[in-house]
Amino acid sequence: MSDTSTWATKKGLAQMLKGGVIMDVVTPEHAKIAEEAGAVAVMALERVPADIRATGGVARMSDPAMVEGIMKAVTIPVMAKARIGHFVEAQILEALGVDYIDESEVLTPADEEHHIDKHQFKVPFVCGCRNLGEALRRISEGAAMIRTKGEAGTGNIVEAVRHIRTVQAEIRQLAGMREDELFARAKELQAPYELVAGVAREGRLPVVNFVAGGISTPADAALAMQLGAEGVFVGSGIFKSENPARFANAIVQATTHFDNPKILAEVSRGLGSPMRGIALETIAETERLAVRGW
Amino acid sequence: MAPPRFGVLALQGAFIEHIRTLQAIGVESVEVRLPEHLEGLDGLILPGGESTTMRRLIERWGLREPILDLARRGAPIFGTCAGMIALARHLDDGEEPILPLLDVTVERNAFGRQLDSFETDLVVPVLGDTPVHAVFIRAPVIARTGPGVDILARLPDRRIVAVRERNIVATAFHPELAGETRFHRLVATMASAHADPGEGAGRRPHPLRRSEGSEQR
């Protein structure tokens, strides 16, 4: 008797990606550069977040032909983004055989009330969060991996830092709570009590948690790791930098040696310019991506 | 005798799961990211992860030769999934081997993509009658074994998924994800035996014979 698409295999793949860098790619050529640089997986999307920001319009799932081209180009796992609540995009991506789906706020949401019922799928999902409650709601819907959102396409780490610090602090708070307090806290978090109690007991989320949104240098990646990330997603930071292959490689090295400043200095040296980046206060509230999802 | 001290290659992948499994059986371990972390170890675990990423990091940080040295000295090396790929002498896709310590040919992603990942119960005779609950994630299989390789487990379709050759043990699946400690106990025992082989019956003098070189009669 053997079973496929179990909870263990779904969250297990994310466990294998830990300590690694998942890179946004738009084309098979990008995917090859990412794999060559040591990415543990690539994320297929229509446009990198910086371009979504610059050009506007509705951002959707990538063209299936492009996703298939990327799957043929590399042997590492291929993830692809679907719009929040757009379960048909997810069905299409599953039919293509992608290894993970990111139900992502970076794309334009398709549903402002409902996220995808991820339990209905054989393919595992990763979802974004800004805090513990959001993470646990996504896990209760079936997400097998979590990433903190940050603010994608800005090259600015400030929101990513805020979100991972928030999640970690909220996990630490649970550890000191009595059972009756946990019941009350579960209501505040709008998350199932069983998941809240599990986090309190284990001192960590029941699935792997990466940091995303605004990482653009090796030091940014190492900062995320030192704050408790189990790995990082890098979007525009690589292919909007002066030298994508070198940045990609340096960020991979920095994620492995995140707690070794001498090595971080060595791998950060002479990389050229990182992506230009945007100060957060210049982005109107309505243009922010992280607030999408509920 | 000091208990064995293990290293777990911590460049990328599910290394913490191995550290926790070793902890559960009372074996001390350290994370290995640089050659100097290998000093004084009695054994090494190569975890699951992405083999292409691990290959690049092993090369970049000069870990290849020191790991091969550790293996040559007889310390047990245990690889799971990507770790098994790293140990294979031949890869079926023609890629260069990473740490060619195990005389097998490995087929990567042998079951297909993530949708084909699975879990199952496996009979592993060397570990006793209780089956091993095995989780296979984008797993490899062993397509060929050399003459010195013992086959520890096969799937019902006869494909080989666990082997041992002298001090090298490898599984295509993840005991560390299923709370399975017996493989870790096996390699910990191998490490203790390596650190202290004991007196050994072959080297023991005759009970009535006095010390070496003493006068007869």
Side-chain angles (χ1 to χ4, degrees):
Chain A
M1 251 322 273
S2 74
D3 300 305
T4 54
S5 295
T6 62
W7 183 236
T9 64
K10 285 178 169 180
K11 68 178 197 159
L13 178 55
Q15 286 173 279
M16 297 309 135
L17 303 178
K18 285 192 298 182
V21 184
I22 300 171
M23 301 183 192
D24 275 1
V25 297
V26 173
T27 63
E29 292 68 41
H30 277 181
K32 280 194 185 133
I33 292 171
E35 182 177 49
E36 191 56 36
V40 290
V42 291
M43 173 72 73
L45 75 174
E46 193 189 28
R47 290 170 279 168
V48 295
D51 289 337
I52 292 174
R53 239 173 232 298
T55 56
V58 174
R60 310 180 179 89
M61 171 186 84
S62 192
D63 179 342
M66 196 58 91
V67 177
E68 282 175 330
I70 291 168
M71 287 165 63
K72 282 205 191 82
V74 294
T75 63
I76 55 178
V78 175
M79 301 182 163
K81 283 188 194 288
R83 286 179 264 176
I84 290 176
H86 205 316
F87 53 86
V88 174
E89 282 189 348
Q91 289 166 2
I92 291 169
L93 291 172
E94 180 176 82
L96 293 174
V98 301
D99 297 297
Y100 240 92
I101 293 176
D102 184 1
E103 186 184 17
S104 176
E105 73 284 357
V106 169
L107 306 186
T108 311
D111 189 324
E112 295 193 332
E113 265 175 75
H114 310 94
H115 279 255
I116 297 171
D117 176 2
K118 294 165 274 288
H119 292 292
Q120 301 306 317
F121 287 80
K122 291 186 180 314
V123 62
F125 280 76
V126 54
C127 287
C129 76
R130 284 161 299 170
N131 51 50
L132 182 60
E134 205 174 356
L136 295 179
R137 287 195 292 281
R138 295 296 87 79
I139 294 166
S140 73
E141 294 158 1
M145 178 180 186
I146 289 293
R147 54 173 177 77
T148 53
K149 287 177 178 173
E151 188 59 30
T154 60
N156 187 338
I157 191 78
V158 65
E159 288 298 287
V161 167
R162 189 190 322 280
H163 297 158
I164 185 69
R165 274 194 184 274
T166 302
V167 170
Q168 298 290 85
E170 288 178 321
I171 290 173
R172 282 192 299 272
Q173 281 164 9
L174 288 187
M177 285 186 175
R178 287 156 47 109
E179 180 125 334
D180 49 4
E181 292 170 335
L182 288 177
F183 280 111
R185 186 69 183 131
K187 275 179 239 161
E188 288 166 7
L189 290 170
Q190 297 173 50
Y193 167 76
E194 288 70 25
L195 287 179
V196 174
V199 172
R201 195 170 52 241
E202 301 292 326
R204 57 175 186 264
L205 289 176
V207 301
V208 166
N209 183 23
F210 274 41
V211 162
I215 292 174
S216 51
T217 67
D220 288 348
L223 176 62
M225 294 297 287
Q226 288 199 27
L227 287 171
E230 296 183 283
V232 297
F233 282 87
V234 185
S236 321
I238 287 167
F239 290 100
K240 290 289 167 189
S241 70
E242 188 182 340
N243 190 330
R246 287 179 66 186
F247 263 88
N249 182 273
I251 291 173
V252 168
Q253 309 300 337
T255 304
T256 291
H257 296 288
F258 67 92
D259 59 354
N260 188 326
K262 270 193 183 154
I263 289 182
L264 293 175
E266 184 188 329
V267 303
S268 301
R269 192 171 289 141
L271 294 176
S273 319
M275 75 178 280
R276 181 144 192 302
I278 312 171
L280 204 76
E281 51 279 10
T282 64
I283 306 171
E285 285 291 336
T286 51
E287 311 256 299
R288 294 194 187 174
L289 304 177
V291 297
R292 296 165 166 180
W294 21 89
Chain B
M1 190 195 78
R5 202 158 142 273
F6 263 79
V8 180
L9 192 67
L11 297 169
Q12 187 274 316
F15 53 87
I16 289 160
E17 287 78 352
H18 279 289
I19 290 169
R20 289 198 194 117
T21 308
L22 288 170
Q23 219 166 30
I25 61 167
V27 174
E28 190 197 335
S29 61
V30 295
E31 294 179 5
V32 173
R33 291 190 176 85
L34 294 170
E36 57 260 38
H37 302 156
L38 288 162
E39 278 162 28
L41 295 183
D42 302 307
L44 180 69
I45 292 181
L46 310 178
E50 282 307 313
S51 59
T52 44
T53 306
M54 270 191 228
R55 170 198 297 281
R56 275 171 187 77
L57 291 164
I58 286 170
E59 282 165 8
R60 172 71 176 77
W61 299 103
L63 284 156
R64 193 170 178 279
E65 277 311 311
I67 293 175
L68 293 177
D69 273 346
L70 184 69
R72 278 188 213 112
R73 290 202 302 273
I77 316 278
F78 175 32
T80 60
C81 195
M84 179 172 100
I85 296 171
L87 290 168
R89 200 177 290 173
H90 302 281
L91 300 175
D92 77 319
D93 51 16
E95 291 251 352
E96 284 295 301
I98 304 171
L99 302 160
L101 289 164
L102 189 58
D103 185 11
V104 298
T105 302
V106 163
E107 183 187 347
R108 290 199 298 166
N109 295 337
F111 301 90
R113 304 194 70 93
Q114 168 62 11
L115 287 168
D116 307 296
S117 292
F118 63 100
E119 45 185 315
T120 192
D121 284 334
L122 271 185
V123 179
V124 185
V126 70
L127 299 181
D129 289 337
T130 308
V132 165
H133 189 71
V135 184
F136 291 81
I137 294 174
R138 287 171 46 93
V141 294
I142 290 172
R144 178 201 65 86
T145 56
V149 178
D150 295 328
I151 295 165
L152 305 184
R154 292 176 186 267
L155 287 169
D157 65 8
R158 308 288 296 154
R159 285 197 278 183
I160 301 164
V161 291
V163 292
R164 172 177 174 175
E165 183 181 26
R166 296 159 61 94
N167 55 326
I168 312 295
V169 177
T171 62
F173 51 89
H174 296 281
E176 78 285 4
L177 295 191
E180 169 64 60
T181 58
R182 285 173 289 172
F183 280 100
H184 293 78
R185 286 180 205 276
L186 173 69
V187 288
T189 306
M190 288 162 65
S192 305
H194 163 65
D196 179 6
E199 218 173 40
R203 278 171 286 134
R204 202 179 300 150
H206 187 279
L208 298 180
R209 199 170 146 191
R210 297 200 195 107
S211 61
E212 217 53 58
S214 65
E215 275 179 42
Q216 297 278 314
R217 240 190 296 202

